[in-house]
């Protein structure tokens, strides 16, 4: 049990996925998105009052039950609209040897600038291992790409990015 009362508003939880990052992952689809990308794969996640509430404890307990997981993926929807509860979940993941991938319709640079004013955004950016960044752009859609829908999106190694101070692409993807 985590020492938190944080609540997440989610569209869905997929207990096992191999398409939302490397390895076997549990994917948490957050509810709420303001990017309105044309051709969005998941418009049902846009309504910030939709979905259902889940405690961070519930999600962590669900992940704990599967010893095969390599990590959790935060997808959506827009995870950075709920940075506080996701920070708690990300910290729990790292304490339990699980890595954290996160999708965002914001670019890394936009998130850095949002993080200058919002400590929770900054903390979430610091608590994820891989960031798949940027909006889905229909004109750049490419079904051959791994883990992303359009070629403008980048799969960023956040540990390397933090080390070098520059956005670093994840190797081997
Ligand atoms: S960021 Fe993702 S969920 Fe949001 S509109 Fe774009 S594709 Fe859809």
């Amino acid at each position: 049990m985590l020492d938190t009362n944080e609540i997440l508003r989610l569209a869905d939880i997929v207990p096992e996925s191999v398409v939302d990052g490397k390895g076997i992952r549990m994917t948490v689809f957050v509810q709420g998105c303001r990017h309105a990308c044309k051709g969005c794969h998941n418009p049902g996640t846009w309504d910030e009052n939709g979905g259902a509430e889940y405690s961070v404890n519930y999600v962590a307990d669900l992940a704990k039950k599967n010893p095969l997981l390599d990590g959790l993926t935060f997808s959506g929807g827009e995870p950075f609209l709920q940075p506080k509860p996701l920070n708690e979940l990300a910290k729990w993941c790292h304490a339990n040897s699980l890595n954290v991938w996160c999708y965002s319709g914001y670019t890394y640079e936009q998130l850095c600038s949002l993080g200058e004013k919002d400590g929770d955004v900054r903390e979430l950016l610091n608590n994820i291992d891989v960031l798949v960044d940027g909006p889905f752009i229909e004109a750049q859609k490419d079904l051959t790409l791994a883990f992303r829908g359009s070629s403008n999106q980048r799969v960023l190694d956040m540990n390397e990015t933090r080390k070098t101070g520059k956005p670093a692409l994840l190797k081997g993807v």
Side-chain angles (χ1 to χ4, degrees):
M1 177 76 81
L2 263 161
D3 184 20
T4 178
N5 294 318
E6 288 292 336
I7 298 291
L8 276 162
R9 182 165 284 276
L10 301 180
D12 201 6
I13 299 172
V14 174
E16 265 190 28
S17 166
V18 291
V19 296
D20 298 314
K22 281 190 177 176
I24 301 174
R25 323 195 59 78
M26 188 171 100
T27 305
V28 174
F29 288 93
V30 307
Q31 181 69 31
C33 186
R34 300 172 187 168
H35 297 292
C37 304
K38 190 167 169 262
C40 167
H41 59 291
N42 214 352
T45 63
W46 292 7
D47 180 1
E48 288 175 49
N49 296 310
E53 290 186 335
Y54 296 79
S55 70
V56 168
N57 270 311
Y58 171 85
V59 180
D61 282 348
L62 197 62
K64 212 171 169 177
K65 285 188 186 138
N66 187 348
L68 299 176
L69 289 182
D70 293 292
L72 262 66
T73 297
F74 305 157
S75 186
E78 173 53 64
F80 279 88
L81 290 181
Q82 300 184 56
K84 211 168 172 202
L86 288 177
N87 269 325
E88 296 300 325
L89 193 54
K91 282 189 268 182
W92 176 86
C93 285
H94 288 142
N96 287 274
S97 307
L98 294 166
N99 61 47
V100 180
W101 282 49
C102 183
Y103 284 76
S104 176
Y106 295 109
T107 62
Y108 166 71
E109 290 78 5
Q110 286 171 324
L111 289 171
C112 288
S113 140
L114 287 172
E116 284 171 17
K117 291 176 221 124
D118 186 329
D120 292 322
V121 166
R122 192 166 58 241
E123 200 181 334
L124 183 55
L125 205 49
N126 282 331
N127 273 327
I128 56 185
D129 299 296
V130 175
L131 173 72
V132 184
D133 83 334
F136 171 69
I137 298 179
E138 204 171 29
Q140 294 180 43
K141 180 176 174 177
D142 184 344
L143 295 175
T144 66
L145 298 169
F147 309 129
R148 57 206 167 112
S150 56
S151 57
N152 61 296
Q153 295 169 318
R154 299 171 294 185
V155 183
L156 298 174
D157 178 337
M158 290 305 294
N159 294 311
E160 195 58 26
T161 296
R162 282 186 283 272
K163 245 189 262 163
T164 61
K166 286 187 292 189
L169 296 178
L170 184 67
K171 292 194 176 112
V173 170

